[in-house]
Amino acid sequence: MNALVVLSVILFILMLLIGGKRGVRSFISLFFNFGMLMLTIFLMLDPHMNPMIVTLISSAVISCINLFFINDVNRKTATAFLSTLITIVILLLFINIVSTVSMTQGFGKEQSEELATFSLLVGVDFAKIGASVVIISTIGAITEVAISITSSMGETLNHHPNISRKDLFLSGMRIGKDILGTDTNTLFFAFFGGYLALLIWFKDLHYSLGDIVNSRIFSAEMITIFCAGIGVALIIPITSWINAYFSVKAREKQEDVKTREK
């Protein structure tokens, strides 16, 4: 517990010194997000609640915290929020189908010893829980890409106020291409880093490559990585198009107002 307090203090000091007020907001948002995740888990345990709906609402709230609480309410954050919601809905429907077809939900045989004393009749749909896990695991990366693109496109519009909607969209796509590779690899190493001990265990158990690939735990993890990458790839064109449309539309409205005033 003392180590957690010390690390929290160090993180807070660094975020305060480097990020200022926004850094403090980012630190506070960690606790808000943690509380939201705990609430999401409790709601999923209710047999009358649909995990997919709970995940969608939870993702929307987490996106609000990450975008509006940290970066204030403006056109950039509003566009990023709308793009995030659209991407989450598409990804949620896709992941639900993939989880059902792949049958990777639930627990693997490697976990049977730890779960032997517990009842698995918990009354929840593990296929939907599996889809929810993927969405919650990727919501941070999706919002990060969305706000990065809208902010960069905003700077492009400021330096080139007469840029066309098509050129602004292509600018967002070029920015997204630079982000795509690094974010996908970040997700890959983050997920695999958490399961490094499991891979070592597979080696000690003399699992062949085929056994590892066909393991339910490994397959579920790979599906999570691929779906997360799909989400990061989807958010780029969605954010670029929505931001280009509304940015140029707002510029046209301002030009109309100036013309009427003259």
PDB file of all heavy atoms in Angstrom, residues 155-164 168 251:
ATOM      1  N   GLU A 155      -4.919  22.802 -36.067  1.00  0.00           N
ATOM      2  CA  GLU A 155      -3.729  23.595 -36.350  1.00  0.00           C
ATOM      3  C   GLU A 155      -3.544  23.798 -37.856  1.00  0.00           C
ATOM      4  O   GLU A 155      -3.145  24.888 -38.304  1.00  0.00           O
ATOM      5  CB  GLU A 155      -2.488  22.896 -35.767  1.00  0.00           C
ATOM      6  CG  GLU A 155      -2.432  22.909 -34.248  1.00  0.00           C
ATOM      7  CD  GLU A 155      -2.360  24.316 -33.700  1.00  0.00           C
ATOM      8  OE1 GLU A 155      -1.624  25.150 -34.272  1.00  0.00           O
ATOM      9  OE2 GLU A 155      -3.057  24.597 -32.709  1.00  0.00           O
ATOM     10  N   THR A 156      -3.837  22.763 -38.626  1.00  0.00           N
ATOM     11  CA  THR A 156      -3.748  22.888 -40.088  1.00  0.00           C
ATOM     12  C   THR A 156      -4.722  23.947 -40.599  1.00  0.00           C
ATOM     13  O   THR A 156      -4.384  24.764 -41.468  1.00  0.00           O
ATOM     14  CB  THR A 156      -4.060  21.530 -40.750  1.00  0.00           C
ATOM     15  OG1 THR A 156      -3.138  20.549 -40.289  1.00  0.00           O
ATOM     16  CG2 THR A 156      -3.964  21.637 -42.265  1.00  0.00           C
ATOM     17  N   LEU A 157      -5.935  23.954 -40.052  1.00  0.00           N
ATOM     18  CA  LEU A 157      -6.934  24.936 -40.471  1.00  0.00           C
ATOM     19  C   LEU A 157      -6.532  26.346 -40.065  1.00  0.00           C
ATOM     20  O   LEU A 157      -6.797  27.312 -40.801  1.00  0.00           O
ATOM     21  CB  LEU A 157      -8.289  24.571 -39.862  1.00  0.00           C
ATOM     22  CG  LEU A 157      -9.497  25.369 -40.351  1.00  0.00           C
ATOM     23  CD1 LEU A 157      -9.711  25.163 -41.844  1.00  0.00           C
ATOM     24  CD2 LEU A 157     -10.749  24.968 -39.580  1.00  0.00           C
ATOM     25  N   ASN A 158      -5.888  26.486 -38.913  1.00  0.00           N
ATOM     26  CA  ASN A 158      -5.444  27.815 -38.470  1.00  0.00           C
ATOM     27  C   ASN A 158      -4.354  28.375 -39.381  1.00  0.00           C
ATOM     28  O   ASN A 158      -4.331  29.587 -39.657  1.00  0.00           O
ATOM     29  CB  ASN A 158      -4.926  27.737 -37.026  1.00  0.00           C
ATOM     30  CG  ASN A 158      -6.039  27.521 -36.027  1.00  0.00           C
ATOM     31  OD1 ASN A 158      -7.200  27.874 -36.285  1.00  0.00           O
ATOM     32  ND2 ASN A 158      -5.720  26.940 -34.888  1.00  0.00           N
ATOM     33  N   HIS A 159      -3.464  27.510 -39.839  1.00  0.00           N
ATOM     34  CA  HIS A 159      -2.376  27.970 -40.704  1.00  0.00           C
ATOM     35  C   HIS A 159      -2.809  28.098 -42.166  1.00  0.00           C
ATOM     36  O   HIS A 159      -2.195  28.844 -42.927  1.00  0.00           O
ATOM     37  CB  HIS A 159      -1.190  27.011 -40.606  1.00  0.00           C
ATOM     38  CG  HIS A 159      -0.449  27.105 -39.312  1.00  0.00           C
ATOM     39  ND1 HIS A 159      -0.816  26.393 -38.182  1.00  0.00           N
ATOM     40  CD2 HIS A 159       0.632  27.843 -38.940  1.00  0.00           C
ATOM     41  CE1 HIS A 159       0.007  26.672 -37.191  1.00  0.00           C
ATOM     42  NE2 HIS A 159       0.904  27.556 -37.619  1.00  0.00           N
ATOM     43  N   HIS A 160      -3.857  27.349 -42.536  1.00  0.00           N
ATOM     44  CA  HIS A 160      -4.370  27.420 -43.912  1.00  0.00           C
ATOM     45  C   HIS A 160      -5.881  27.608 -43.844  1.00  0.00           C
ATOM     46  O   HIS A 160      -6.646  26.660 -44.068  1.00  0.00           O
ATOM     47  CB  HIS A 160      -4.016  26.143 -44.680  1.00  0.00           C
ATOM     48  CG  HIS A 160      -2.550  25.825 -44.705  1.00  0.00           C
ATOM     49  ND1 HIS A 160      -1.679  26.449 -45.578  1.00  0.00           N
ATOM     50  CD2 HIS A 160      -1.803  24.967 -43.952  1.00  0.00           C
ATOM     51  CE1 HIS A 160      -0.460  25.981 -45.380  1.00  0.00           C
ATOM     52  NE2 HIS A 160      -0.499  25.078 -44.392  1.00  0.00           N
ATOM     53  N   PRO A 161      -6.333  28.806 -43.528  1.00  0.00           N
ATOM     54  CA  PRO A 161      -7.765  29.047 -43.312  1.00  0.00           C
ATOM     55  C   PRO A 161      -8.636  28.819 -44.538  1.00  0.00           C
ATOM     56  O   PRO A 161      -9.845  28.606 -44.407  1.00  0.00           O
ATOM     57  CB  PRO A 161      -7.813  30.516 -42.868  1.00  0.00           C
ATOM     58  CG  PRO A 161      -6.542  31.113 -43.372  1.00  0.00           C
ATOM     59  CD  PRO A 161      -5.534  30.033 -43.346  1.00  0.00           C
ATOM     60  N   ASN A 162      -8.062  28.846 -45.723  1.00  0.00           N
ATOM     61  CA  ASN A 162      -8.838  28.662 -46.952  1.00  0.00           C
ATOM     62  C   ASN A 162      -8.736  27.250 -47.518  1.00  0.00           C
ATOM     63  O   ASN A 162      -9.121  27.020 -48.669  1.00  0.00           O
ATOM     64  CB  ASN A 162      -8.380  29.667 -48.012  1.00  0.00           C
ATOM     65  CG  ASN A 162      -8.645  31.104 -47.596  1.00  0.00           C
ATOM     66  OD1 ASN A 162      -9.687  31.404 -47.010  1.00  0.00           O
ATOM     67  ND2 ASN A 162      -7.701  31.993 -47.887  1.00  0.00           N
ATOM     68  N   ILE A 163      -8.258  26.331 -46.737  1.00  0.00           N
ATOM     69  CA  ILE A 163      -8.101  24.954 -47.211  1.00  0.00           C
ATOM     70  C   ILE A 163      -9.469  24.338 -47.497  1.00  0.00           C
ATOM     71  O   ILE A 163     -10.459  24.618 -46.813  1.00  0.00           O
ATOM     72  CB  ILE A 163      -7.325  24.116 -46.156  1.00  0.00           C
ATOM     73  CG1 ILE A 163      -6.948  22.748 -46.727  1.00  0.00           C
ATOM     74  CG2 ILE A 163      -8.148  23.962 -44.881  1.00  0.00           C
ATOM     75  CD1 ILE A 163      -6.020  21.953 -45.808  1.00  0.00           C
ATOM     76  N   SER A 164      -9.539  23.519 -48.524  1.00  0.00           N
ATOM     77  CA  SER A 164     -10.806  22.884 -48.890  1.00  0.00           C
ATOM     78  C   SER A 164     -11.115  21.722 -47.960  1.00  0.00           C
ATOM     79  O   SER A 164     -10.230  21.232 -47.241  1.00  0.00           O
ATOM     80  CB  SER A 164     -10.744  22.377 -50.333  1.00  0.00           C
ATOM     81  OG  SER A 164      -9.790  21.339 -50.463  1.00  0.00           O
ATOM     82  N   LEU A 168      -8.426  19.148 -46.238  1.00  0.00           N
ATOM     83  CA  LEU A 168      -8.389  19.026 -44.786  1.00  0.00           C
ATOM     84  C   LEU A 168      -8.586  17.572 -44.360  1.00  0.00           C
ATOM     85  O   LEU A 168      -7.935  17.095 -43.429  1.00  0.00           O
ATOM     86  CB  LEU A 168      -9.467  19.917 -44.163  1.00  0.00           C
ATOM     87  CG  LEU A 168      -9.470  20.012 -42.624  1.00  0.00           C
ATOM     88  CD1 LEU A 168      -8.144  20.560 -42.123  1.00  0.00           C
ATOM     89  CD2 LEU A 168     -10.632  20.887 -42.144  1.00  0.00           C
ATOM     90  N   ARG A 251     -16.515  27.409 -40.696  1.00  0.00           N
ATOM     91  CA  ARG A 251     -15.824  28.506 -41.393  1.00  0.00           C
ATOM     92  C   ARG A 251     -16.761  29.196 -42.377  1.00  0.00           C
ATOM     93  O   ARG A 251     -16.772  30.426 -42.480  1.00  0.00           O
ATOM     94  CB  ARG A 251     -14.606  27.951 -42.119  1.00  0.00           C
ATOM     95  CG  ARG A 251     -13.753  29.014 -42.819  1.00  0.00           C
ATOM     96  CD  ARG A 251     -12.686  28.381 -43.666  1.00  0.00           C
ATOM     97  NE  ARG A 251     -13.265  27.639 -44.780  1.00  0.00           N
ATOM     98  CZ  ARG A 251     -12.561  26.834 -45.584  1.00  0.00           C
ATOM     99  NH1 ARG A 251     -11.265  26.668 -45.378  1.00  0.00           N
ATOM    100  NH2 ARG A 251     -13.145  26.193 -46.570  1.00  0.00           N
TER     101      ARG A 251
END
